[in-house]
Amino acid sequence: MAEIVLAYASSHAPMMSSQREAATEEQRKNFFGALDFLKEQATERGVQAVVVLSNEHYTNFFLENFPQYCIGLGEKNWGPTEEWLPIDKVWIPGHAGLANHIAQYTLNNGFDPAFSHLLELDHGIMTVYYELDNGMKLPLVPIVQNCAVPPLVPVRRAYEFGKALGDAIRSYDGLERVAVVGAGGLSHWIGNPRVGDINEEFDNWFLGVLESGDLEQVLDMPNEEIELAGNGNHEMRSWLAVAGAVAPTAPKATKLAYEAVYPWITGMAVAYWETQDKGAAADVPAMDDAGRRDASMA
Amino acid sequence: MSWYQMHRAVYDWVRVGEVNSDASAGEDPRASFDVSVYELSPEERKAFDNKDIAAFYQLGLHEVLINRYARACGFSREDYRRRLEPLAVKNERKGRWQK
């Protein structure tokens, strides 16, 4: 059976690719250092495929039909769709076996995800996937979820979907080592008068909740309260889905990076859940006096 | 107001420049976009013709689409924030994370 050997969540502001240098050197070192650490872990742990959950930004779906979840079943998907995103536009290999298993398993267990045999992948998935595999060869099962267009899945339901996703992966016998990644958040506003604001107080609180493992503090949060940290904050659902996926083995997250990158209009964070028993926590880079983790020390 | 048609027109305009896009191809497919096929109200048509994101915001265009539309129009975020800021409504509500 497959095992989730790597689980993490990362912000996915497109400017992390298109305006990389707009962040300070220290911010880049911290944020990308965390992603580099996770990339190294993926290599060390022999990840064979990755499942990435992200928000649907009106890239694949529109108002005629807007699924809450859509699983990419295809043998390949295309991305990135944005003409201005400086990542090569390529066909990205899928993993039809794992994707179909996830779809059937979740259908058998109380969820009704849509499916697609050809998704266009926008910055939501591509920025984070690219940082995991610059060659974009690692088989990818994309799951796009509705974090933008009301009515929205309740936060608890997103977490429960993650739990079903995790159970699905662990019951798949076609692979041994799978990564689960959530992409999006944390606080940000788009398309409204507060674009550019970041709610650092929320971001630090949310990361603390993930580290404590006491997710009840957040699972009942209504949409109106979520939006106090920005309309983009609905993407916290991706983070909580990952938390759900690894809940049986890794109830607490470890924050690897947090930077309020105002030129990227987003609270940029990376956190991961240690799912391995091998004492891999020792691999986590130590914090310096400023409370930052320098992944280059790993 | 034709809420769906407004969304459809803006979405299609944004997408026509994205789908299978290739920056090296040269021609801007948005230049030949025919907005007349959409059943827009006069206010919506005026907003479209003037690339007036503040008007679209007031007409209820979804904020994700406003963001994509503004970017496709070439507006910087600072510029579109400046256009939208006068429309801000103060929210006194506090989140559970606020002391």
Side-chain angles (χ1 to χ4, degrees), chain B residues 61-79:
Chain B
L61 186 67
H62 192 281
E63 293 167 349
V64 170
L65 269 186
I66 288 179
N67 183 66
R68 289 181 58 178
Y69 179 71
R71 181 183 285 275
C73 289
F75 299 137
S76 70
R77 281 211 172 73
E78 293 77 10
D79 186 27

PDB file of all heavy atoms in Angstrom, chain B residues 61-79:
ATOM      1  N   LEU B  61     -18.993  42.228 -10.083  1.00  0.00           N
ATOM      2  CA  LEU B  61     -18.125  41.241 -10.732  1.00  0.00           C
ATOM      3  C   LEU B  61     -17.293  40.532  -9.666  1.00  0.00           C
ATOM      4  O   LEU B  61     -16.755  41.170  -8.758  1.00  0.00           O
ATOM      5  CB  LEU B  61     -17.209  41.942 -11.744  1.00  0.00           C
ATOM      6  CG  LEU B  61     -16.340  41.020 -12.604  1.00  0.00           C
ATOM      7  CD1 LEU B  61     -17.194  40.195 -13.561  1.00  0.00           C
ATOM      8  CD2 LEU B  61     -15.307  41.830 -13.407  1.00  0.00           C
ATOM      9  N   HIS B  62     -17.183  39.236  -9.795  1.00  0.00           N
ATOM     10  CA  HIS B  62     -16.456  38.459  -8.791  1.00  0.00           C
ATOM     11  C   HIS B  62     -15.008  38.952  -8.687  1.00  0.00           C
ATOM     12  O   HIS B  62     -14.365  39.249  -9.684  1.00  0.00           O
ATOM     13  CB  HIS B  62     -16.477  36.977  -9.160  1.00  0.00           C
ATOM     14  CG  HIS B  62     -16.017  36.085  -8.054  1.00  0.00           C
ATOM     15  ND1 HIS B  62     -14.686  35.902  -7.748  1.00  0.00           N
ATOM     16  CD2 HIS B  62     -16.708  35.352  -7.153  1.00  0.00           C
ATOM     17  CE1 HIS B  62     -14.581  35.069  -6.721  1.00  0.00           C
ATOM     18  NE2 HIS B  62     -15.800  34.728  -6.338  1.00  0.00           N
ATOM     19  N   GLU B  63     -14.524  38.989  -7.441  1.00  0.00           N
ATOM     20  CA  GLU B  63     -13.219  39.597  -7.196  1.00  0.00           C
ATOM     21  C   GLU B  63     -12.064  38.825  -7.830  1.00  0.00           C
ATOM     22  O   GLU B  63     -11.050  39.422  -8.209  1.00  0.00           O
ATOM     23  CB  GLU B  63     -13.022  39.769  -5.690  1.00  0.00           C
ATOM     24  CG  GLU B  63     -14.004  40.818  -5.133  1.00  0.00           C
ATOM     25  CD  GLU B  63     -14.093  40.843  -3.621  1.00  0.00           C
ATOM     26  OE1 GLU B  63     -13.565  39.918  -2.976  1.00  0.00           O
ATOM     27  OE2 GLU B  63     -14.695  41.792  -3.083  1.00  0.00           O
ATOM     28  N   VAL B  64     -12.206  37.535  -7.940  1.00  0.00           N
ATOM     29  CA  VAL B  64     -11.160  36.772  -8.641  1.00  0.00           C
ATOM     30  C   VAL B  64     -11.103  37.193 -10.108  1.00  0.00           C
ATOM     31  O   VAL B  64     -10.023  37.340 -10.696  1.00  0.00           O
ATOM     32  CB  VAL B  64     -11.408  35.250  -8.519  1.00  0.00           C
ATOM     33  CG1 VAL B  64     -10.492  34.466  -9.444  1.00  0.00           C
ATOM     34  CG2 VAL B  64     -11.197  34.796  -7.075  1.00  0.00           C
ATOM     35  N   LEU B  65     -12.272  37.423 -10.686  1.00  0.00           N
ATOM     36  CA  LEU B  65     -12.291  37.876 -12.083  1.00  0.00           C
ATOM     37  C   LEU B  65     -11.780  39.310 -12.208  1.00  0.00           C
ATOM     38  O   LEU B  65     -11.097  39.636 -13.190  1.00  0.00           O
ATOM     39  CB  LEU B  65     -13.708  37.784 -12.647  1.00  0.00           C
ATOM     40  CG  LEU B  65     -14.097  36.479 -13.332  1.00  0.00           C
ATOM     41  CD1 LEU B  65     -15.482  36.607 -13.959  1.00  0.00           C
ATOM     42  CD2 LEU B  65     -13.086  36.081 -14.392  1.00  0.00           C
ATOM     43  N   ILE B  66     -12.110  40.152 -11.245  1.00  0.00           N
ATOM     44  CA  ILE B  66     -11.576  41.519 -11.283  1.00  0.00           C
ATOM     45  C   ILE B  66     -10.052  41.479 -11.275  1.00  0.00           C
ATOM     46  O   ILE B  66      -9.388  42.179 -12.036  1.00  0.00           O
ATOM     47  CB  ILE B  66     -12.102  42.342 -10.091  1.00  0.00           C
ATOM     48  CG1 ILE B  66     -13.586  42.660 -10.290  1.00  0.00           C
ATOM     49  CG2 ILE B  66     -11.300  43.636  -9.921  1.00  0.00           C
ATOM     50  CD1 ILE B  66     -14.217  43.453  -9.158  1.00  0.00           C
ATOM     51  N   ASN B  67      -9.506  40.624 -10.428  1.00  0.00           N
ATOM     52  CA  ASN B  67      -8.057  40.501 -10.347  1.00  0.00           C
ATOM     53  C   ASN B  67      -7.463  40.064 -11.684  1.00  0.00           C
ATOM     54  O   ASN B  67      -6.498  40.650 -12.181  1.00  0.00           O
ATOM     55  CB  ASN B  67      -7.695  39.499  -9.250  1.00  0.00           C
ATOM     56  CG  ASN B  67      -6.203  39.372  -9.046  1.00  0.00           C
ATOM     57  OD1 ASN B  67      -5.559  40.322  -8.624  1.00  0.00           O
ATOM     58  ND2 ASN B  67      -5.656  38.207  -9.357  1.00  0.00           N
ATOM     59  N   ARG B  68      -8.065  39.054 -12.261  1.00  0.00           N
ATOM     60  CA  ARG B  68      -7.528  38.554 -13.539  1.00  0.00           C
ATOM     61  C   ARG B  68      -7.742  39.560 -14.651  1.00  0.00           C
ATOM     62  O   ARG B  68      -6.893  39.728 -15.529  1.00  0.00           O
ATOM     63  CB  ARG B  68      -8.176  37.206 -13.877  1.00  0.00           C
ATOM     64  CG  ARG B  68      -7.686  36.106 -12.949  1.00  0.00           C
ATOM     65  CD  ARG B  68      -8.282  34.774 -13.288  1.00  0.00           C
ATOM     66  NE  ARG B  68      -7.990  34.363 -14.655  1.00  0.00           N
ATOM     67  CZ  ARG B  68      -8.372  33.211 -15.165  1.00  0.00           C
ATOM     68  NH1 ARG B  68      -9.030  32.358 -14.405  1.00  0.00           N
ATOM     69  NH2 ARG B  68      -8.101  32.903 -16.401  1.00  0.00           N
ATOM     70  N   TYR B  69      -8.895  40.202 -14.628  1.00  0.00           N
ATOM     71  CA  TYR B  69      -9.191  41.197 -15.652  1.00  0.00           C
ATOM     72  C   TYR B  69      -8.206  42.363 -15.564  1.00  0.00           C
ATOM     73  O   TYR B  69      -7.664  42.805 -16.585  1.00  0.00           O
ATOM     74  CB  TYR B  69     -10.620  41.695 -15.469  1.00  0.00           C
ATOM     75  CG  TYR B  69     -11.064  42.758 -16.444  1.00  0.00           C
ATOM     76  CD1 TYR B  69     -11.289  42.440 -17.782  1.00  0.00           C
ATOM     77  CD2 TYR B  69     -11.252  44.066 -16.029  1.00  0.00           C
ATOM     78  CE1 TYR B  69     -11.699  43.405 -18.674  1.00  0.00           C
ATOM     79  CE2 TYR B  69     -11.675  45.042 -16.913  1.00  0.00           C
ATOM     80  CZ  TYR B  69     -11.894  44.711 -18.245  1.00  0.00           C
ATOM     81  OH  TYR B  69     -12.292  45.677 -19.130  1.00  0.00           O
ATOM     82  N   ALA B  70      -7.971  42.838 -14.341  1.00  0.00           N
ATOM     83  CA  ALA B  70      -7.052  43.961 -14.156  1.00  0.00           C
ATOM     84  C   ALA B  70      -5.660  43.601 -14.647  1.00  0.00           C
ATOM     85  O   ALA B  70      -4.991  44.391 -15.327  1.00  0.00           O
ATOM     86  CB  ALA B  70      -7.014  44.374 -12.687  1.00  0.00           C
ATOM     87  N   ARG B  71      -5.232  42.398 -14.314  1.00  0.00           N
ATOM     88  CA  ARG B  71      -3.915  41.968 -14.769  1.00  0.00           C
ATOM     89  C   ARG B  71      -3.868  41.885 -16.297  1.00  0.00           C
ATOM     90  O   ARG B  71      -2.900  42.323 -16.926  1.00  0.00           O
ATOM     91  CB  ARG B  71      -3.559  40.611 -14.155  1.00  0.00           C
ATOM     92  CG  ARG B  71      -2.203  40.096 -14.538  1.00  0.00           C
ATOM     93  CD  ARG B  71      -1.957  38.717 -13.949  1.00  0.00           C
ATOM     94  NE  ARG B  71      -1.668  38.752 -12.539  1.00  0.00           N
ATOM     95  CZ  ARG B  71      -0.462  38.961 -12.028  1.00  0.00           C
ATOM     96  NH1 ARG B  71       0.574  39.150 -12.825  1.00  0.00           N
ATOM     97  NH2 ARG B  71      -0.266  38.954 -10.729  1.00  0.00           N
ATOM     98  N   ALA B  72      -4.915  41.322 -16.884  1.00  0.00           N
ATOM     99  CA  ALA B  72      -4.953  41.193 -18.347  1.00  0.00           C
ATOM    100  C   ALA B  72      -4.994  42.563 -19.018  1.00  0.00           C
ATOM    101  O   ALA B  72      -4.490  42.728 -20.138  1.00  0.00           O
ATOM    102  CB  ALA B  72      -6.163  40.358 -18.765  1.00  0.00           C
ATOM    103  N   CYS B  73      -5.588  43.543 -18.336  1.00  0.00           N
ATOM    104  CA  CYS B  73      -5.626  44.907 -18.876  1.00  0.00           C
ATOM    105  C   CYS B  73      -4.285  45.621 -18.726  1.00  0.00           C
ATOM    106  O   CYS B  73      -4.085  46.694 -19.305  1.00  0.00           O
ATOM    107  CB  CYS B  73      -6.693  45.734 -18.166  1.00  0.00           C
ATOM    108  SG  CYS B  73      -8.385  45.271 -18.570  1.00  0.00           S
ATOM    109  N   GLY B  74      -3.418  45.053 -17.916  1.00  0.00           N
ATOM    110  CA  GLY B  74      -2.111  45.661 -17.724  1.00  0.00           C
ATOM    111  C   GLY B  74      -2.039  46.627 -16.556  1.00  0.00           C
ATOM    112  O   GLY B  74      -1.059  47.357 -16.406  1.00  0.00           O
ATOM    113  N   PHE B  75      -3.080  46.611 -15.696  1.00  0.00           N
ATOM    114  CA  PHE B  75      -3.045  47.480 -14.523  1.00  0.00           C
ATOM    115  C   PHE B  75      -2.128  46.867 -13.462  1.00  0.00           C
ATOM    116  O   PHE B  75      -2.206  45.671 -13.197  1.00  0.00           O
ATOM    117  CB  PHE B  75      -4.436  47.650 -13.903  1.00  0.00           C
ATOM    118  CG  PHE B  75      -5.448  48.281 -14.824  1.00  0.00           C
ATOM    119  CD1 PHE B  75      -6.735  47.783 -14.909  1.00  0.00           C
ATOM    120  CD2 PHE B  75      -5.112  49.370 -15.612  1.00  0.00           C
ATOM    121  CE1 PHE B  75      -7.678  48.350 -15.741  1.00  0.00           C
ATOM    122  CE2 PHE B  75      -6.046  49.954 -16.460  1.00  0.00           C
ATOM    123  CZ  PHE B  75      -7.335  49.439 -16.529  1.00  0.00           C
ATOM    124  N   SER B  76      -1.311  47.704 -12.863  1.00  0.00           N
ATOM    125  CA  SER B  76      -0.546  47.232 -11.712  1.00  0.00           C
ATOM    126  C   SER B  76      -1.501  47.107 -10.531  1.00  0.00           C
ATOM    127  O   SER B  76      -2.573  47.717 -10.503  1.00  0.00           O
ATOM    128  CB  SER B  76       0.569  48.215 -11.362  1.00  0.00           C
ATOM    129  OG  SER B  76       0.010  49.403 -10.834  1.00  0.00           O
ATOM    130  N   ARG B  77      -1.087  46.332  -9.522  1.00  0.00           N
ATOM    131  CA  ARG B  77      -1.952  46.197  -8.349  1.00  0.00           C
ATOM    132  C   ARG B  77      -2.095  47.521  -7.619  1.00  0.00           C
ATOM    133  O   ARG B  77      -3.156  47.838  -7.087  1.00  0.00           O
ATOM    134  CB  ARG B  77      -1.403  45.119  -7.416  1.00  0.00           C
ATOM    135  CG  ARG B  77      -1.768  43.731  -7.927  1.00  0.00           C
ATOM    136  CD  ARG B  77      -1.952  42.756  -6.795  1.00  0.00           C
ATOM    137  NE  ARG B  77      -2.487  41.508  -7.295  1.00  0.00           N
ATOM    138  CZ  ARG B  77      -1.781  40.632  -8.003  1.00  0.00           C
ATOM    139  NH1 ARG B  77      -0.528  40.867  -8.297  1.00  0.00           N
ATOM    140  NH2 ARG B  77      -2.333  39.516  -8.434  1.00  0.00           N
ATOM    141  N   GLU B  78      -1.020  48.289  -7.587  1.00  0.00           N
ATOM    142  CA  GLU B  78      -1.107  49.596  -6.930  1.00  0.00           C
ATOM    143  C   GLU B  78      -2.145  50.456  -7.637  1.00  0.00           C
ATOM    144  O   GLU B  78      -2.910  51.179  -7.007  1.00  0.00           O
ATOM    145  CB  GLU B  78       0.257  50.292  -6.955  1.00  0.00           C
ATOM    146  CG  GLU B  78       1.330  49.619  -6.111  1.00  0.00           C
ATOM    147  CD  GLU B  78       1.920  48.379  -6.767  1.00  0.00           C
ATOM    148  OE1 GLU B  78       1.646  48.130  -7.965  1.00  0.00           O
ATOM    149  OE2 GLU B  78       2.636  47.632  -6.073  1.00  0.00           O
ATOM    150  N   ASP B  79      -2.162  50.355  -8.953  1.00  0.00           N
ATOM    151  CA  ASP B  79      -3.086  51.167  -9.743  1.00  0.00           C
ATOM    152  C   ASP B  79      -4.530  50.734  -9.487  1.00  0.00           C
ATOM    153  O   ASP B  79      -5.419  51.544  -9.252  1.00  0.00           O
ATOM    154  CB  ASP B  79      -2.749  51.025 -11.233  1.00  0.00           C
ATOM    155  CG  ASP B  79      -3.587  51.976 -12.071  1.00  0.00           C
ATOM    156  OD1 ASP B  79      -3.990  53.021 -11.540  1.00  0.00           O
ATOM    157  OD2 ASP B  79      -3.835  51.656 -13.246  1.00  0.00           O
TER     158      ASP B  79
END
